[in-house]
Amino acid sequence: MYSQEDLNSAVAAGALSAEAADALRAHVAAERDAVPADAEHFRLITGFNDIFVSIGVVIMLLAVGAIGQAVAGAIYPAPVFTGTEWDAEWWNETRSQRSLAQGISMGLAAFFVAGTAWLLAEFFTLKRRMALPSILLLLAFVGGVMVTQAGFIIGWAEGAQDRNETFGIVLLAGAALITAGAAWLHWKRFMVPITIAAGTAAIAGMAVLLLVAAIGPNAQNIETIVLTLVFLAGLVVFGFAMRWDVSDTSRSTRRSDVAFWLHLLAAPMIAHPVFALIGVTDGDNIGAGAALAVVAVYVAFGLVALAVDRRALLVSALAYVLIALTYLFREFGAVELNFALTALVIGSALLTLSALWTPIRRAVVNTLPGELRGRLPATA
């Protein structure tokens, strides 16, 4: 199986003409009886060898993480309680040492994971161009860089006598900025599409953390404030994803893959705060008004997903809609079958939407202004 990236590489190398590549894409699309843009293709696996290598990668990273913990234990061992009864004085006296030891252990393990992930990417990503292992190695590298810093920061903060939560949040924001820089270096070296989303997540996290530090972590209604900030960050990420999408409306280059992962990042950042502010996450009894609001918001998400031809928003909001519909069916007396009826409604709607995605999308897009339609993927 050849990916869009492989075809573009062949055209750039002169092994295949641009016309021949376009003809091959059109032929494959016709054989599959699908419009390439509507199919929302992205490269995940090229064969079972991707899964085989991915299993090996996970095992290797777990092993080096454990080795990192062992090395940390040898460098800075945690105090061991040898008494037989509870000793509050000993626990208070060693709190700083124990916290720092745990932080060093977590940080050094993550550092080993990040370093190993980069080295493995030199072969499996740069030379073999394997999709799934490349995604796992990128996540391990970026996550490892962040956790390395977070481990030392949390270890120090937890053990400090006079903890300053605001200063700790600022340090975590700085760690997120460094993580974004590491993601940029990874992108320049390996060009894995998900890297842009990982770096964007780090920058979004940095922005939210700095704003929380400025407002004060103990401010009134801080949870609502954080949810609002995450929602606004999600809208910015969505706009950034659309910028990549607009640059490749035919969805035939790596830019489309980058946009896919950005949409996948933006979707939960938008969906979770909206439904949490409605009250879906507060408990089982969300109220009929809130349940109807969830359904209305999901319909709005569906219209946006159809317009931009991305399904991430619909997937991210599914759990909340299931909760809302389950409540509504229970209110109407279908207590024993409420979950079954909810699953039936949602499943039927998703399958119908999938089967009729192209004509439904055409109807939605045709209602938009002409200038906006020109920036979206074409409808068949």
Side-chain angles (χ1 to χ4, degrees):
M1 179 183 293
Y2 300 102
S3 67
Q4 298 285 2
E5 184 179 335
D6 295 329
L7 291 177
N8 295 333
S9 176
V11 171
L16 191 66
S17 68
E19 293 77 11
D22 290 338
L24 179 57
R25 292 188 184 103
H27 171 72
V28 172
E31 286 293 314
R32 293 176 179 175
D33 191 26
V35 179
D38 285 351
E40 199 174 356
H41 294 297
F42 74 101
R43 189 181 180 195
L44 184 61
I45 61 173
T46 56
F48 189 76
N49 192 41
D50 279 39
I51 299 175
F52 184 75
V53 171
S54 298
I55 294 172
V57 164
V58 171
I59 294 173
M60 173 67 77
L61 295 178
L62 289 174
V64 297
I67 292 172
Q69 287 183 321
V71 172
I75 295 175
Y76 193 91
V80 179
F81 181 66
T82 57
T84 57
E85 297 182 1
W86 171 257
D87 188 344
E89 183 178 352
W90 183 90
W91 285 99
N92 289 330
E93 289 178 352
T94 61
R95 189 185 75 172
S96 178
Q97 290 176 283
R98 287 184 289 106
S99 298
L100 187 57
Q102 291 172 357
I104 292 174
S105 176
M106 182 171 69
L108 200 56
F111 177 77
F112 275 42
V113 168
T116 304
W118 183 285
L119 294 175
L120 291 175
E122 290 287 344
F123 179 75
F124 292 108
T125 300
L126 197 61
K127 296 186 180 300
R128 297 290 297 275
R129 310 302 299 178
M130 302 182 77
L132 183 58
S134 297
I135 293 171
L136 293 176
L137 290 171
L138 175 276
L139 294 176
F141 172 73
V142 174
V145 171
M146 183 63 196
V147 175
T148 297
Q149 302 168 86
F152 291 108
I153 293 171
I154 294 173
W156 164 79
E158 289 293 325
Q161 296 296 327
D162 298 319
R163 285 188 292 177
N164 188 326
E165 291 186 20
T166 300
F167 183 61
I169 293 173
V170 172
L171 288 179
L172 288 176
L177 179 60
I178 293 173
T179 303
W184 180 80
L185 291 175
H186 197 282
W187 169 257
K188 298 298 289 185
R189 177 64 174 169
F190 302 109
M191 304 289 282
V192 180
I194 193 177
T195 310
I196 300 297
T200 302
I203 293 175
M206 177 200 69
V208 171
L209 287 169
L210 287 177
L211 289 171
V212 169
I215 296 170
N218 298 317
Q220 189 176 7
N221 298 323
I222 187 63
E223 183 178 352
T224 300
I225 293 172
V226 171
L227 288 172
T228 303
L229 292 174
V230 172
F231 173 74
L232 294 175
L235 291 180
V236 173
V237 175
F238 179 80
F240 187 41
M242 289 305 302
R243 183 177 178 182
W244 284 85
D245 258 343
V246 167
S247 68
D248 180 25
T249 55
S250 64
R251 297 194 175 167
S252 58
T253 68
R254 183 189 284 114
R255 293 192 297 274
S256 177
D257 290 339
V258 172
F260 169 83
W261 291 109
L262 285 169
H263 279 292
L264 209 59
L265 169 65
M269 294 175 68
I270 295 172
H272 178 73
V274 169
F275 293 118
L277 292 173
I278 289 175
V280 179
T281 59
D282 289 343
D284 202 26
N285 297 318
I286 63 173
L292 291 174
V294 169
V295 175
V297 170
Y298 192 69
V299 171
F301 281 177
L303 293 174
V304 173
L306 284 163
V308 302
D309 198 16
R310 293 292 186 184
R311 297 160 176 81
L313 268 177
L314 292 173
V315 175
S316 295
L318 268 181
Y320 307 101
V321 179
L322 285 171
I323 295 172
L325 287 182
T326 299
Y327 175 83
L328 287 176
F329 281 125
R330 188 176 65 231
E331 286 297 294
F332 281 107
V335 177
E336 296 181 357
L337 294 175
N338 59 349
F339 180 77
L341 291 174
T342 300
L344 178 63
V345 170
I346 293 295
S348 300
L350 291 179
L351 291 175
T352 302
L353 188 61
S354 176
L356 302 176
W357 183 271
T358 300
I360 296 175
R361 180 171 182 269
R362 186 187 303 116
V364 171
V365 172
N366 287 341
T367 63
L368 300 175
E371 183 179 351
L372 182 57
R373 287 201 303 266
R375 295 176 175 269
L376 297 173
T379 57

